[in-house]
Amino acid sequence: MFTIGQVAKQVGLNIGAIRFYERKGLLEPAVRNEQNNRLYSEDVIGWLEFLKCLRETGMSVEEVKRYYDMVKTGTSTLPERTKLIEDQKQALLDDIEKKKAQLVHLEHKLERYYRGENY
Amino acid sequence: MFTIGQVAKQVGLNIGAIRFYERKGLLEPAVRNEQNNRLYSEDVIGWLEFLKCLRETGMSVEEVKRYYDMVKTGTSTLPERTKLIEDQKQALLDDIEKKKAQLVHLEHKLERYYRGENY
DNA sequence: TGTTGACCTACACTAAGTGTAGCATAGTAA
DNA sequence: TTACTATGCTACACTTAGTGTAGGTCAACA
C-alpha cells in the first residue's frame, strides 16, 4: 500500500488533485491507516493513470465520473463505455488536427517575423 | 465597422469573451457609437483571430497580453516576440506528441473492450 | 403602440484544480 | 528529552478563463 505522496509522485498528479478526485467520486474513499492517512493499492494507481489520461484527452471530470460509475456497475455497461471511449478518441483526433492547423498559423507568423515584418 | 455581435460570429468567439479580453487589456477599449455600442474595424478582427489562435495553442491570457503589449511597443520587440512565438510553437509540438501518445492509450483500451474484457 | 432584438453594465457562478492556515503525528538529531 | 523536519489531515480561500443572468437602454418593425 502506498501513501498519497507516493501515489502523487508516481502518477504525476498533485496530492490536492487526488483528494479532489476522491471528493468528486472519481475514486473510492481511500482506506486509512492508524494515523488517518490515505493508503492506496496498485489497482488505484492503475485507475489514476487512466483517469489522468482521460482528463488529458479533454474529458471533463463529470464524464470521467460517468465512466467510472459504469465500470463499477459491471460488464452490462461495456457497450456504453466502449462508445464513450470511441467518442473521446474521435474528439482527440479532431483536437490533434486542430492543433496542426494552429501550428501552420504560428509558422506563418514566424516566417513574417524572420523576414523582418512587424505583424 | 462591425458590432460586437458581428465580430463574435465572424471570429467564433463569445460576445462575453470579447468584452472580457477588453477588460484584461488584450484589446484596446473599443470605439463606441451614439448608443454606446462597441464598434470594431477589420484590424481588430484580424488581431482577434490571431489572439484566438494563440489561446487555442494553450497560451495564457497573461502571456497573450505580454505579446500584445510588445506588438504595441513596436519593432524593437521583434526578437522577443519571435522567441515567444517560437516557444509557443514548441509547446504546441510537444502537446501534439503527448496527445498522440494518449491516443495509443485509448486505442489499447478499446482493443480490450472489443475482445470483451471488462478493464 | 408594443414588442422584438441587439446592445450595455455589474455581478454571480462555474470548472478544475491550487494554495494556505492550522493542526496532528512520526521519525530523526543533538 | 527535546527540538526539528517531513508528511499527512481538514477546511476554506483563491485562481483562470471565461459563461450566464438581471436589469436597463435604444432602434426598428408590425
Side-chain angles (χ1 to χ4, degrees):
Chain A
M1 299 293 261
F2 306 93
T3 66
I4 196 168
Q6 292 170 326
V7 172
K9 193 169 224 170
Q10 190 175 329
V11 178
L13 281 173
N14 183 306
I15 287 177
I18 297 174
R19 291 199 276 242
F20 172 77
Y21 291 145
E22 181 181 310
R23 265 201 313 285
K24 287 287 170 174
L26 274 63
L27 233 49
E28 291 318 298
V31 169
R32 308 293 185 115
N33 67 7
E34 288 294 285
Q35 289 82 45
N36 196 37
N37 294 359
R38 290 171 177 82
L39 289 180
Y40 298 94
S41 66
E42 286 285 2
D43 283 8
V44 179
I45 293 177
W47 162 233
L48 271 174
E49 267 157 2
F50 191 53
L51 142 45
K52 191 189 173 207
C53 172
L54 291 177
R55 288 287 305 117
E56 285 173 354
T57 65
M59 192 182 280
S60 72
V61 165
E62 203 177 313
E63 279 275 88
V64 177
K65 173 155 172 49
R66 274 219 313 125
Y67 173 80
Y68 181 58
D69 288 345
M70 283 194 277
V71 172
K72 285 190 292 181
T73 299
T75 48
S76 64
T77 63
L78 242 175
E80 205 181 337
R81 271 185 273 158
T82 305
K83 173 81 166 60
L84 204 148
I85 301 293
E86 277 170 347
D87 288 354
Q88 196 57 29
K89 177 186 162 184
Q90 190 55 53
L92 189 52
L93 283 170
D94 294 351
D95 189 43
I96 290 170
E97 283 316 301
K98 198 173 169 189
K99 301 252 148 129
K100 282 184 184 166
Q102 284 152 358
L103 191 61
V104 171
H105 208 143
L106 290 190
E107 277 163 352
H108 277 355
K109 180 62 82 172
L110 279 175
E111 272 166 43
R112 298 157 69 107
Y113 279 178
Y114 293 148
R115 287 200 301 272
E117 292 174 37
N118 196 29
Y119 296 109
Chain B
M1 299 294 259
F2 307 92
T3 66
I4 197 167
Q6 292 170 326
V7 173
K9 193 169 224 169
Q10 192 175 328
V11 178
L13 281 172
N14 183 306
I15 287 178
I18 296 174
R19 292 198 275 243
F20 171 77
Y21 291 145
E22 183 181 310
R23 267 201 312 285
K24 287 286 172 176
L26 274 62
L27 234 48
E28 290 320 298
V31 170
R32 307 293 184 115
N33 68 5
E34 288 295 285
Q35 289 82 45
N36 196 37
N37 294 1
R38 290 173 177 82
L39 289 179
Y40 298 94
S41 67
E42 286 285 3
D43 284 9
V44 180
I45 294 177
W47 162 234
L48 271 174
E49 266 157 2
F50 191 53
L51 143 43
K52 190 189 173 206
C53 172
L54 290 178
R55 288 285 307 116
E56 286 175 352
T57 64
M59 193 182 280
S60 72
V61 165
E62 202 175 314
E63 278 276 88
V64 177
K65 174 157 171 48
R66 273 218 316 125
Y67 173 81
Y68 181 59
D69 288 344
M70 283 194 277
V71 172
K72 286 190 291 182
T73 299
T75 48
S76 66
T77 62
L78 243 175
E80 206 181 337
R81 271 185 274 156
T82 305
K83 173 80 166 62
L84 203 148
I85 302 293
E86 277 169 347
D87 288 354
Q88 196 57 29
K89 177 185 162 184
Q90 189 55 54
L92 189 51
L93 283 169
D94 294 351
D95 189 42
I96 290 171
E97 284 315 301
K98 198 173 168 189
K99 301 252 149 130
K100 283 184 184 166
Q102 283 151 359
L103 191 60
V104 171
H105 208 143
L106 291 191
E107 277 163 352
H108 276 356
K109 180 62 81 171
L110 280 174
E111 271 166 44
R112 297 156 70 107
Y113 279 178
Y114 292 148
R115 286 200 302 271
E117 292 173 38
N118 196 29
Y119 295 110

